[in-house]
Structure formats: C-alpha cells, structure tokens
Amino acid sequence: MITHLANGMCVDGVGDTKVRSLYLVNGLIAESIEPTAKIDANYDVRGKVLMAGGIDLHTHIGGGKVNIARLLLPELVLPKIESFDSHGIRQLSAPVPTTWETGLRYLEMGYTTCMEPAVLPANARQAHREMADIPWLDTGGYLLLGNDRMLLRWIAEGVSQEQINQYVAWMLKAHQCCGVKVVNAGGIDAFKFNQRHLDVDESHPVFPVTPRDILRALAQAVDELRLAHPLHVHCSNLGVPGNIASTLKTLQAVEGRRIHLTHAQFHCYGTGGPHGFSSEAYQLAEYVNWNSHVTIDIGQVLFGQTVTISGDTMHQFANRNLARPRKVIFQDLECQAGCGVVPFRYKQDQYVHGLQWTIGLELCLRILDPTRVFLTTDHPNGGPFTAYPHLLRLLTSYDFRMSIFERLHPDVQSSSSLPSLKREYTLEEIAQMTRRGPAKILGLQDRGTLESGKVADVVVYDPSEKLDTMFSSPTMVFRHGELVYRDGQALKGSCKTTIVANPSVETSMNARLNREWPEQYGYNTDMVRIVDEELLSGGHRLKAATPLSSS
Ligand SMILES: [Zn+2]
C-alpha cells in the first residue's frame, strides 16, 4: 500500500520546516519511491501543515483507578461541552471517558501514542486489557515501584544494587511495562502506618529507608539496565506550599542520573505572597535549564470540573475536604501502592487555582529546550487531555494568555511574573514538545518525526492563527500508513502496538522471587507474569523501546 501526500508544509521539530512530499509505504514514511511503483492513494495537501502523530507520555487512561473514578463519577464519563473562557473557546470535556471516547478524542487531536503512567503490578493485566481496548492508539505503561514492601525491605536490608537491578528487570518483564514510575517514594506505604508526611530524608516508620535511598537505588537500576525512559518521578509533598525544597532534593537524590519529574506544576510552590502560597517556577525552570539529565512534564491546570486520581493516597487523603462533588474513595492496594480518587473543580477566580494555572505556563515558557518539557495536564488531574488544543494556543499567543490572565484573582495578577514572559511557542517547538521530545525519552526511535523510515503516523492540519481550532480538527490522520480519520470522521483502524522495555532477566531472580513472593503477597509468581501471547491477541503487536546505547 503506497499513499502519496503531495506538497505539504512538513513541521518536524528538527528545525527544517519546508514544503515537501511524503510517501507512506507499507506503514513507513519514505521520501521517494521507485518511478514504476504504483501509488494507491494520492492527496494534494498543498497549504496544509503535516506533523508526526502526537505522543502523550503521561495520561491516566488505563488501570484500576480510572475505573474507580468512572464508578464514583458516572456524570464525568460522557463528554460534554465545557467553556474555558468568555471568548467562546469551547472544548469537549470528559475527565474519565470510556476507552472508545479516549481513543476517539486523542485521534481528533492527531495523537497516536499514549502512555499510562501508573500501572500497579497487581493490576497490570487489567491495565493492559483496558489499554488494548482503546482504539487508534499505541500504548504502554510505567510500572509503579518505590512503595512495594519487597523493594523497601530489600533496600533496608542492604541487598546489592545488582539484586535491585534484577528485581526491576524481572518486574518490568513480568508486567510488560516500558518504564519505572515512583509516586511519593515510600510515602504511600508510610501512610499505611498512619504517617501523614514523608520528606526526602525522613525515614519510613517501619523500614529504615528514606525516599532518597529509594530514588537513588531505582535511578541507578534504570541507568544500569540501560532503559530508554528515565526514572519517572512523582515527588514527595505533592501540592504542599514550600514543596520546591523537597522537589530540588528529589532531583539531586539521583546524583546526576536521568530523571523525569512528572506534573512539575504541582511540585514547585513557595510560601511567599499574601496567601502563603507562591510560584517557584523560576527556580525549577533554572534547575532544568542547567541540568541536562532532567526532563519534566507540566501537569497544567485548566479551569473547570475534573477528578484527581493518584496513587499518592497520603496527599489525596489530605485533600479530601476539597472534593467537589463531595465524594471520595481511598484504597490500599495489596502491599504495593495505594489510590485516592478526589473530584475537583478548578476556579478561575480562586487565588490558588489561578496561581497554579500561571505556574504551569511559566514552566513551559521559562524552560528553553522544548525537547525536555512536555505538554500534559496529568489527565485528568489538572484537567482532561481534550484541553490540549486550548493549552497550545495559550503557549503560542501572548495576547490570548493575557486575555485570561486579566480575569484571575487580583493577587495572582499582582504577584505573577507571567506578563513579563513574552515568549510565543512556534510550530517547530510544538512539534518538539509533543512529538520529537517524547519519542526520544521513551526510546521510540521509530516515530516522533516525519523522517524517512519512521512509522507513518502522519497528521494533516489546516493552518490557523487560532491553534486551538487547528489542533482540534485535523483534516486527516494516518496511523502506520493507514487513513484512520478524515474530515471529522473516524475510520476503522487495524493495528495496535504495546510498547515494552523487555530487559533481560536472570534465572537467579526467578528462584529468589519464587521463594519470597508467596510469603510477601500470599500468591505465587505464576499469577503475576503476563506472557507475550496475552498481549498479541486480536492482531496486536509488541514493540520493545530501544535501550540506551552503552557508549
Ligand atoms: Zn499522573
């Protein structure tokens, strides 16, 4: 099958925007074809913008807590029109959509690859099943470690780093994940002993181990296993005024190893200003600018109704009285993690919410390298992913973001430095932030740009000054070379791929876990392992992320 896209403006995130033609040949992009080759479909895309398929590296689209949120808040499952501002910018809002809606809404924005960032080991099979049920997206998951009793105990007992590495490799392989995630290292487990706070150098109430110990051991394991994706970290003290101190300590705890700080907006707060809550975005952005081993995603807050779903039970419980509507769920999940579901409404005229909105934008605007700062709302925690087109317009238009800034709480307006940040993202920078950059830190060398040989995930947009319109209504989307969306209509898509890390596992770790796992968890390791065949049903494929080269 050969498709020809003629004379489109290719925006690639490699600084080489120009008009050129692409061929989609058997699922891959090619610059040219043999003169005698038969072209099956020809599209004149003159005047259109072509980009690679979008990649969301942090969006809660599968796994148990999404289903818990759907059960708690059935009113937030179906999409409804929500107005973001008085300019008439209207977006479809569905904080916990069905799997079908999830795939459809991502497709409508031109996204083709999404990562679920919190796969609980005990629930990994269900998470994979749910992701497999989302049409039009390639998916993968990060495995939650850092609060499982086995690991905490081993670190406390001083097992060798080699054993920790092999444990991480075994867990990733058994649960078919492509990265390692830490949520409030040690804190979720400490909460089970009624502790309400665990700082980076504070000891767990039972095991003599600190968050710093856990972060250092896991970051080292990720590096020594040559995993493409850095340790993916949700810091201690989420949402707490003054948490910039523990966030910087967390970044330092990995001792120069690669680290990805997720939903950074929730982790860079000071205690200044009239309400004891202030922005420390400048400090965090400077740290990122000066330290190339750090990447972040934003976790932008957007005004309106959403639901927060997090493994960080400690801090979700602390926020229970903020729930709107007033219903919450907290769970202890095996001896591996926890879960808190708290519905929430961000209000434009509320000081804290308004400042959070400015902090996310400040981070995007102050971090200089768009391949190290990624567009997320931590869906659905800061807002639903369907708000991305609106968020892109905020980044590309100073006047547009100021038109909203002027309606925030007066104390936000008097204390924020946002008006001084005149930067406007270019389309090239958006391609870096939403395509090329995420592909790079996920080890997805097969996608993220429109270069020859890449997977033919190609989006055709109508250019518009109003980027929210442009990015919410592509004219065509191709996945693996197949036309799956055209002029507002989703078409049947065939292939789906699950992205995994696939590290090599030593048999000695099998033997150790066969002995210790039943004692720790009450069931044996055979119940845990997800074999490849389970993920390959229905024509699905597995793809291993490219490991880091050892050079
Ligand atoms: Zn998250």
Side-chain angles (χ1 to χ4, degrees):
M1 173 78 185
I2 300 180
T3 300
H4 181 209
L5 300 174
N7 301 311
M9 178 68 73
C10 293
V11 180
D12 220 3
V14 292
D16 187 28
T17 292
K18 64 182 176 197
V19 173
R20 59 192 171 100
S21 294
L22 298 179
Y23 297 90
L24 316 184
V25 182
N26 298 328
L28 300 177
I29 294 172
E31 291 278 346
S32 59
I33 53 171
E34 293 291 324
T36 54
K38 177 177 169 293
I39 295 174
D40 301 282
N42 229 323
Y43 299 99
D44 183 355
V45 289
R46 195 182 308 264
K48 311 279 190 195
V49 169
L50 270 55
M51 295 174 96
I55 301 172
D56 193 342
L57 90 172
H58 190 113
T59 174
H60 297 274
I61 52 172
K65 63 193 174 310
V66 182
N67 274 331
I68 293 167
R70 288 180 187 130
L71 287 169
L72 182 71
L73 297 150
E75 66 271 31
L76 301 186
V77 172
L78 294 175
K80 62 179 180 187
I81 299 286
E82 179 140 1
S83 181
F84 276 95
D85 62 50
S86 60
H87 287 234
I89 307 301
R90 289 156 75 81
Q91 297 283 343
L92 277 173
S93 172
V96 279
T98 61
T99 49
W100 175 267
E101 286 285 339
T102 300
L104 182 63
R105 300 301 165 206
Y106 267 113
L107 184 65
E108 285 176 345
M109 302 188 301
Y111 275 70
T112 52
T113 305
C114 287
M115 296 292 160
E116 159 60 50
V119 176
L120 178 80
N123 198 46
R125 184 169 273 110
Q126 187 271 333
H128 281 295
R129 293 260 178 212
E130 188 158 358
M131 286 191 277
D133 202 42
I134 300 173
W136 301 295
L137 292 180
D138 288 348
T139 51
Y142 312 144
L143 191 68
L144 273 181
L145 298 176
N147 280 282
D148 52 314
R149 289 277 168 86
M150 185 95 76
L151 181 69
L152 298 187
R153 185 164 53 78
W154 284 11
I155 295 174
E157 288 170 0
V159 304
S160 68
Q161 183 65 38
E162 180 54 28
Q163 289 283 289
I164 303 281
N165 296 357
Q166 276 307 308
Y167 176 69
V168 171
W170 191 95
M171 292 292 276
L172 280 176
K173 179 69 188 160
H175 300 94
Q176 301 279 12
C177 284
C178 67
V180 178
K181 168 88 176 292
V182 178
V183 173
N184 188 359
I188 302 172
D189 197 69
F191 181 68
K192 296 173 187 176
F193 298 92
N194 205 22
Q195 187 150 337
R196 306 302 170 95
H197 178 272
L198 191 69
D199 218 332
V200 179
D201 290 308
E202 209 171 335
S203 189
H204 183 282
V206 174
F207 304 108
V209 60
T210 65
R212 185 184 294 274
D213 300 331
I214 299 165
L215 291 160
R216 188 170 45 208
L218 286 174
Q220 191 170 345
V222 167
D223 260 12
E224 291 181 0
L225 291 169
R226 312 302 300 160
L227 300 179
H229 191 50
L231 186 64
H232 196 103
V233 177
H234 158 143
C235 298
S236 325
N237 297 321
L238 177 131
V240 176
N243 63 8
I244 185 66
S246 53
T247 298
L248 294 177
K249 275 191 208 168
T250 298
L251 295 175
Q252 288 153 3
V254 298
E255 299 174 345
R257 295 188 177 85
R258 295 168 301 135
I259 183 169
H260 178 83
L261 170 61
T262 190
H263 40 72
Q265 178 279 129
F266 291 103
H267 297 282
C268 60
Y269 303 149
T271 54
H275 304 270
F277 180 79
S278 54
S279 169
E280 291 293 347
Y282 175 78
Q283 230 190 121
L284 181 58
E286 280 299 286
Y287 193 93
V288 175
N289 285 334
W290 285 99
N291 290 279
S292 60
H293 65 283
V294 181
T295 53
I296 72 165
D297 68 79
I298 295 302
Q300 177 67 27
V301 154
L302 289 149
F303 304 117
Q305 176 70 55
T306 194
V307 54
T308 63
I309 57 178
S310 175
D312 195 345
T313 334
M314 178 187 269
H315 289 286
Q316 288 291 76
F317 183 76
N319 289 333
R320 65 196 181 282
N321 291 328
L322 302 176
R324 298 289 182 278
R326 294 186 61 77
K327 44 185 178 179
V328 294
I329 294 179
F330 303 103
Q331 279 195 317
D332 173 12
L333 298 169
E334 301 289 341
C335 291
Q336 295 183 331
C339 170
V341 177
V342 180
F344 202 80
R345 188 163 189 90
Y346 293 101
K347 295 179 182 161
Q348 196 170 260
D349 56 0
Q350 216 263 16
Y351 172 79
V352 170
H353 304 172
L355 198 69
Q356 288 177 311
W357 181 88
T358 67
I359 290 170
L361 295 176
E362 260 194 78
L363 285 171
C364 289
L365 296 167
R366 288 186 183 280
I367 292 174
L368 302 175
D369 179 357
T371 66
R372 291 200 291 122
V373 53
F374 307 115
L375 184 82
T376 66
T377 57
D378 188 22
H379 165 80
N381 290 308
F385 66 80
T386 45
Y388 287 176
H390 170 81
L391 183 48
L392 288 171
R393 189 172 171 201
L394 289 170
L395 293 178
T396 51
S397 169
Y398 178 80
D399 290 343
F400 182 61
R401 61 179 178 260
M402 282 304 104
S403 71
I404 296 176
F405 180 79
E406 285 160 6
R407 295 199 298 276
L408 302 183
H409 190 287
D411 292 340
V412 173
Q413 294 189 46
S414 60
S415 61
S416 172
S417 62
L418 195 66
S420 69
L421 300 173
K422 300 283 172 63
R423 180 178 174 188
E424 294 181 329
Y425 267 65
T426 63
L427 278 183
E428 271 284 330
E429 288 177 318
I430 287 173
Q432 291 175 18
M433 180 187 230
T434 58
R435 274 87 173 158
R436 188 175 142 226
K440 189 174 159 199
I441 71 155
L442 288 166
L444 297 176
Q445 292 182 355
D446 66 343
R447 63 192 74 190
T449 72
L450 298 172
E451 293 162 308
S452 206
K454 301 285 184 186
V455 165
D457 285 5
V458 180
V459 192
V460 180
Y461 293 108
D462 258 331
S464 166
E465 293 234 324
K466 294 183 174 176
L467 281 229
D468 45 355
T469 304
M470 172 175 161
F471 281 105
S472 58
S473 52
T475 56
M476 287 189 281
V477 181
F478 295 85
R479 278 193 73 241
H480 298 260
E482 188 179 18
L483 182 62
V484 290
Y485 185 85
R486 186 166 194 194
D487 298 328
Q489 289 293 318
L491 309 169
K492 187 173 180 299
S494 52
C495 61
K496 268 187 68 77
T497 304
T498 298
I499 294 146
V500 295
N502 204 23
S504 60
V505 175
E506 289 180 11
T507 47
S508 58
M509 184 49 60
N510 274 326
R512 179 166 189 173
L513 289 181
N514 283 342
R515 279 195 313 275
E516 296 190 28
W517 192 281
E519 200 176 312
Q520 180 73 62
Y521 294 118
Y523 51 94
N524 61 41
T525 53
D526 290 343
M527 290 179 67
V528 169
R529 272 201 208 93
I530 301 170
V531 295
D532 291 357
E533 288 68 29
E534 287 186 66
L535 301 181
L536 295 173
S537 61
H540 289 197
R541 299 190 288 217
L542 278 177
K543 176 187 163 45
T546 307
L548 285 191
S549 66
S550 46
S551 57

